[in-house]
């Protein structure tokens, strides 16, 4: 899956340069020009956020806090002045890195790559909740409590998609698009049936899940906690 980056920046000149450079590196880039638009777009599923500190409608710090309420998506903050730099450094507002304007687009690209390497080493085996759930992404094998379990292809893709981004909320439509492809013409409730089956296989108590949580009125998110290593 290609890496998706959300750029929240009101200065079109900057966002278009940043977008151009990142696209050249193979990233899929979306630009939001206000804080609200950025927050709305986040639900579409991104791997990294580049966030301008000074936006017309909201402070970058506020946006950062909103994002951090339910996501640990990597955030690179763009600041315009050195006193803003101090704010970012001093307040610990949840950004993973920051770049001071004017910056070289190449440097920003390097920071993006470094941050992505740091936060998501391309692991092939994911282990959650102290080894209770182990997902081998390459072999497409899943073990629950040490015992291999059989998942359908759709169930595996669903689990892979959710577990790859713990904490991120996916809408039913997003999951259908990601898993079954854009051509699928059916009720988005189809996804509920797959989730139900998946829960019966991986949850101790499907009615009180420790892995796939329903976000009412929105969709689902993965809440298992990934083990170290
Ligand atoms: Ca700005």
């Amino acid at each position: 899956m290609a890496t998706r980056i959300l750029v929240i920046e009101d200065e079109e000149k900057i966002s278009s340069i940043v977008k151009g450079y990142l696209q050249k590196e193979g990233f899929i880039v979306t630009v939001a020009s206000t804080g609200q638009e950025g927050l709305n777009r986040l639900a579409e599923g991104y791997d990294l956020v580049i966030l301008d500190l000074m936006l017309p409608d909201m402070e970058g710090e506020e946006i950062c806090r909103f994002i951090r309420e339910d996501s640990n998506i990597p955030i690179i903050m763009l600041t315009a002045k050195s006193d803003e730099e101090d704010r970012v450094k001093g307040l610990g507002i949840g950004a993973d890195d920051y770049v001071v304007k004017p910056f070289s687009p190449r440097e920003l690209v390097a920071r993006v790559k470094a941050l992505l390497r740091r936060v998501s080493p391309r692991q092939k085996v994911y282990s959650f909740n102290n080894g209770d759930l182990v997902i081998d992404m390459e072999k497409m094998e899943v073990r629950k409590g040490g015992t291999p379990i059989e998942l359908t292809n759709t169930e595996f893709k669903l689990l892979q998609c959710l577990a790859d981004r713990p904490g991120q909320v996916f809408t039913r439509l997003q999951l259908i698009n990601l898993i079954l492809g854009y051509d699928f013409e059916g009720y988005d409730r189809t996804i509920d049936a797959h989730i139900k089956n998946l829960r019966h296989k991986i949850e101790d108590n499907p009615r009180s899940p420790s892995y796939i949580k329903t976000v009412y009125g929105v969709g689902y998110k993965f809440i298992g906690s990934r083990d170290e290593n």
Side-chain angles (χ1 to χ4, degrees):
M1 228 183 274
T3 304
R4 296 170 50 124
I5 298 178
L6 178 64
V7 179
I8 309 176
E9 163 67 86
D10 59 314
E11 284 161 87
E12 207 264 326
K13 220 169 77 187
I14 294 178
S15 62
S16 65
I17 292 171
V18 166
K19 185 176 180 176
Y21 270 83
L22 289 170
Q23 281 178 333
K24 251 183 261 166
E25 299 293 322
F27 296 111
I28 296 174
V29 184
T30 302
V31 174
S33 57
T34 66
Q36 196 53 58
E37 188 194 347
L39 286 174
N40 293 344
R41 288 213 163 240
L42 259 183
E44 295 167 357
Y46 292 90
D47 301 285
L48 184 139
V49 175
I50 296 173
L51 173 63
D52 184 29
L53 188 63
M54 303 295 276
L55 292 158
D57 58 332
M58 287 171 90
E59 295 280 329
E61 287 145 304
E62 199 184 347
I63 297 170
C64 218
R65 238 174 278 124
F66 272 123
I67 296 174
R68 280 287 172 265
E69 276 175 16
D70 59 7
S71 163
N72 46 21
I73 186 169
I75 300 173
I76 296 181
M77 203 75 139
L78 302 179
T79 73
K81 298 190 289 276
S82 59
D83 61 320
E84 292 180 355
E85 185 185 342
D86 290 342
R87 260 160 73 190
V88 172
K89 269 195 288 193
L91 290 171
I93 56 177
D96 298 278
D97 199 358
Y98 66 93
V99 175
V100 182
K101 294 177 186 175
F103 54 85
S104 105
R106 255 187 220 118
E107 193 203 334
L108 180 63
V109 169
R111 297 281 192 101
V112 165
K113 287 182 173 175
L115 183 54
L116 286 170
R117 269 197 304 274
R118 205 166 81 212
V119 298
S120 61
R122 266 342 215 170
Q123 262 179 302
K124 291 189 179 113
V125 180
Y126 291 165
S127 169
F128 297 95
N129 295 10
N130 299 316
D132 177 61
L133 183 70
V134 179
I135 308 169
D136 189 323
M137 298 291 185
E138 207 162 60
K139 293 184 193 157
M140 292 181 71
E141 287 171 0
V142 179
R143 272 175 289 139
K144 162 74 186 170
T147 308
I149 53 170
E150 294 280 333
L151 297 184
T152 65
N153 197 28
T154 302
E155 287 161 6
F156 182 81
K157 281 203 252 176
L158 195 51
L159 179 60
Q160 181 187 39
C161 184
L162 289 163
D164 200 35
R165 295 181 172 88
Q168 184 179 311
V169 180
F170 289 88
T171 66
R172 291 177 175 82
L173 199 57
Q174 282 171 339
L175 288 170
I176 284 180
N177 285 342
L178 287 165
I179 290 154
L180 301 172
Y182 289 90
D183 294 327
F184 183 78
E185 293 175 4
Y187 276 131
D188 58 1
R189 295 283 157 179
T190 302
I191 221 77
D192 294 357
H194 292 297
I195 291 278
K196 191 179 167 201
N197 295 336
L198 186 54
R199 274 180 177 152
H200 275 286
K201 294 177 181 179
I202 65 167
E203 302 283 3
D204 291 328
N205 178 2
R207 278 190 289 179
S208 169
S210 1
Y211 294 109
I212 300 174
K213 187 175 159 62
T214 303
V215 181
Y216 289 98
V218 188
Y220 297 98
K221 70 175 176 181
F222 191 84
I223 54 166
S225 93
R226 193 183 289 178
D227 302 330
E228 297 294 321
N229 302 319

